[in-house]
Amino acid sequence: MTDETADRQDASRAPASLERARSGRVKLIEPPSRAGSDPAASGAAEGLSAQATDVRLISELERLLREPGCPVCRSVDEGERSFFSWFQIESFSAAEVHARLRAGMGMCPRHSRRLVEELGEGEGHIMTTVMRHALAGARQVLRGGHPGPCPACEAVAFGAQRGRNVLLGGLSDPGHARLYSDHDGICLRHLLHAAEVADRSALRLLAERLAASLGERDGSTLVSLIAGVDRDAGRRGAWRERLPEPPGDGSTVARLCRQLESEGCPVCLARGQADRRYVHWFVERTSERDSSLETDPGQLCAPHLHDIAVVGEAGAASAAHRQRATRLGQLQRLLNRLDQSPLPARRGRRRGNEDLAPGCNELTSMEHCPACHARDGVERAQLALVNAALALRPVRDRYEQSHGLCVRHALQIPEGRAADLAHRHADARVSVLAWEVEETARKYAWAYRHEPSGPETDAWIRAVGQIDGQAFEGAMPATHLALGLESTTTARS
């Protein structure tokens, strides 16, 4: 599934190019100056330009270090907030953004939830525009295309890269290195990101500061230090709590048929229920001091640490406390090896981990997350059940009258009769939703202002769930817009 990458603009061309410049996608071309014709003047100009860049970089680093918490997380947060601000002001109407929305079938679940929260009913015309292109992209993908990245995730990636570069560039100055040593430092997640390009001295400073912070922090601050900042945790937690309980009795086929009665993807529903079940089970077992948690293989991933913190802060703090010993050991081994074998002098992006310091591999290797393992197992099993059961006429008949699989899951059905049915059904649902969205857009026009609104009004939020049910954690996309608004009110509280 996805939480992906990419973005951009182009409506009234000047704003579009300005937006691309803001996002770092393009460079603004400046007119040539007279100094360009004189080598000496050109060299002086380059020196002044480099000094100005250094001043900007240092002042930006000082700004990021002015407040507690990971400075790269703050840069990411600012980049994402800027993207959505400009998206709502103007870039949602840009031709380039429309192309990216079609390529990505809209936005990833994380950013779709944010759109629903921030726009809601009051800005339905924006969501109508977004979903018109998302649905067109979904139809293209169902006809043999390949889904592209989320248009909002690029802003996140750019913010992370920018924050990392500002930090590593500023640490070359001894004064700012001392300033950083007195700060909380970056979180583990962004240390791993910085390790890809950091030189030996910078990596040592980052690792030493993180090790010291891990030893000092506790509770929710320890969770943030290990898992970074996750603004989406409250939103997905609120949607997940709306999920119905799984059917408890009856045969496998009968239970599947009852799940198909829900106005949502049955696989996304089972996935969300599995996630909720694990999170609540973990919080309960933590409160009971269950010793079996100590022997569970692997470590909880960053999103699941935040999911658990939403339900019970004590449970997340306990999980983070167990991770602390492991991470401190890994950091200490990294520092020991940095003393023994210097890093290559070359900077810049490396191929894989070939030039990383010995010990970085241990930190950067993917940990087994027991919560992801449990959830993904349920998701695979439910998808396999739908695939197998569609050979039965009662299930097939029920499926054709239901919401069926979302587009993301329909695309995962292997080739065969079940895949043909799932693709055809998803295509038909998407086509009707596309008509409803166009009908809504038509009634926004001045010439049709006398026409009453119909059930098509909330088609945009139903379309979000039809494309990817994970946007609402498997909950009903919404038979009424109030569902989305109520959900987001819970997420903010």
Side-chain angles (χ1 to χ4, degrees), residues 247-262 266 381-382 384-399 402:
D249 55 358
S251 67
T252 297
V253 171
R255 289 193 297 173
L256 175 60
C257 287
R258 287 205 296 275
Q259 287 173 317
L260 289 173
E261 293 172 1
S262 171
Q382 185 74 355
L385 173 61
V386 172
N387 182 34
L390 283 177
L392 300 172
R393 180 172 295 279
V395 177
R396 191 163 59 247
D397 291 344
R398 180 67 61 88
Y399 185 91
S402 73

Side-chain angles (χ1 to χ4, degrees), residues 84-403:
F84 277 97
S85 294
W86 280 103
F87 187 86
Q88 294 177 47
I89 293 169
E90 65 176 3
S91 65
F92 77 91
S93 61
E96 187 176 343
V97 171
H98 295 167
R100 292 187 175 277
L101 288 169
R102 287 193 297 275
M105 301 193 300
M107 295 191 186
C108 65
R110 171 191 177 93
H111 290 120
S112 292
R113 284 188 289 269
R114 179 162 183 166
L115 276 178
V116 171
E117 176 174 287
E118 295 191 355
L119 299 182
E121 189 172 13
E123 296 294 342
H125 70 287
I126 296 181
M127 287 304 298
T128 298
T129 301
V130 170
M131 296 318 299
R132 173 191 292 155
H133 297 286
L135 289 164
R139 296 191 71 187
Q140 291 173 3
V141 171
L142 284 166
R143 285 163 168 72
H146 298 282
C150 164
C153 288
E154 190 176 58
V156 173
F158 176 75
Q161 185 176 358
R162 180 175 181 276
R164 178 186 71 178
N165 293 344
V166 166
L167 178 61
L168 294 179
L171 290 181
S172 59
D173 176 73
H176 288 89
R178 286 192 296 273
L179 182 65
Y180 179 82
S181 297
D182 295 332
H183 189 263
D184 294 338
I186 61 174
C187 64
L188 174 65
R189 185 158 56 99
H190 287 122
L191 169 69
L192 304 184
H193 186 215
E196 296 176 355
V197 295
D199 61 25
R200 183 172 182 267
S201 60
L203 183 56
R204 164 175 285 284
L205 178 58
L206 296 177
E208 286 176 341
R209 179 63 263 178
L210 178 59
S213 294
L214 282 173
E216 297 164 0
R217 302 294 181 241
D218 225 329
S220 59
T221 55
L222 181 59
V223 173
S224 298
L225 198 59
I226 291 174
V229 175
D230 188 346
R231 304 292 183 196
D232 183 56
R235 297 187 194 107
R236 62 179 180 263
W239 281 106
R240 198 178 291 141
E241 291 304 317
R242 319 182 59 88
L243 298 178
E245 291 298 322
D249 55 358
S251 67
T252 297
V253 171
R255 289 193 297 173
L256 175 60
C257 287
R258 287 205 296 275
Q259 287 173 317
L260 289 173
E261 293 172 1
S262 171
E263 262 303 301
C265 172
V267 177
C268 290
L269 174 61
R271 184 185 194 272
Q273 289 168 335
D275 243 343
R276 181 180 65 184
R277 189 161 53 245
Y278 187 95
V279 167
H280 283 274
W281 172 85
F282 188 93
V283 170
E284 180 184 334
R285 290 305 175 93
T286 300
S287 66
E288 296 172 358
R289 302 184 184 277
D290 188 343
S291 59
S292 70
L293 296 178
E294 304 287 344
T295 58
D296 219 7
Q299 308 277 3
L300 288 168
C301 64
H304 275 116
L305 264 179
H306 284 289
D307 287 341
I308 289 168
V310 169
V311 175
E313 286 191 10
S318 175
H321 188 270
R322 282 195 292 275
Q323 282 201 38
R324 170 162 53 190
T326 302
R327 296 306 189 182
L328 281 172
Q330 291 172 340
L331 286 168
Q332 189 55 58
R333 286 190 289 276
L334 170 62
L335 290 169
N336 292 341
R337 288 164 181 166
L338 280 171
D339 289 336
Q340 298 164 8
S341 55
L343 280 172
R346 178 171 65 87
R347 293 184 63 139
R349 196 159 192 82
R350 305 172 172 91
R351 293 194 303 274
N353 288 341
E354 62 179 1
D355 291 333
L356 287 180
C360 275
N361 287 347
E362 185 181 23
L363 269 172
T364 57
S365 61
M366 291 295 292
E367 286 277 0
H368 167 84
C369 173
C372 287
H373 179 76
R375 178 201 64 203
D376 294 347
V378 170
E379 182 178 17
R380 287 191 299 270
Q382 185 74 355
L383 186 62
L385 173 61
V386 172
N387 182 34
L390 283 177
L392 300 172
R393 180 172 295 279
V395 177
R396 191 163 59 247
D397 291 344
R398 180 67 61 88
Y399 185 91
E400 290 183 330
Q401 301 299 319
S402 73
H403 178 284

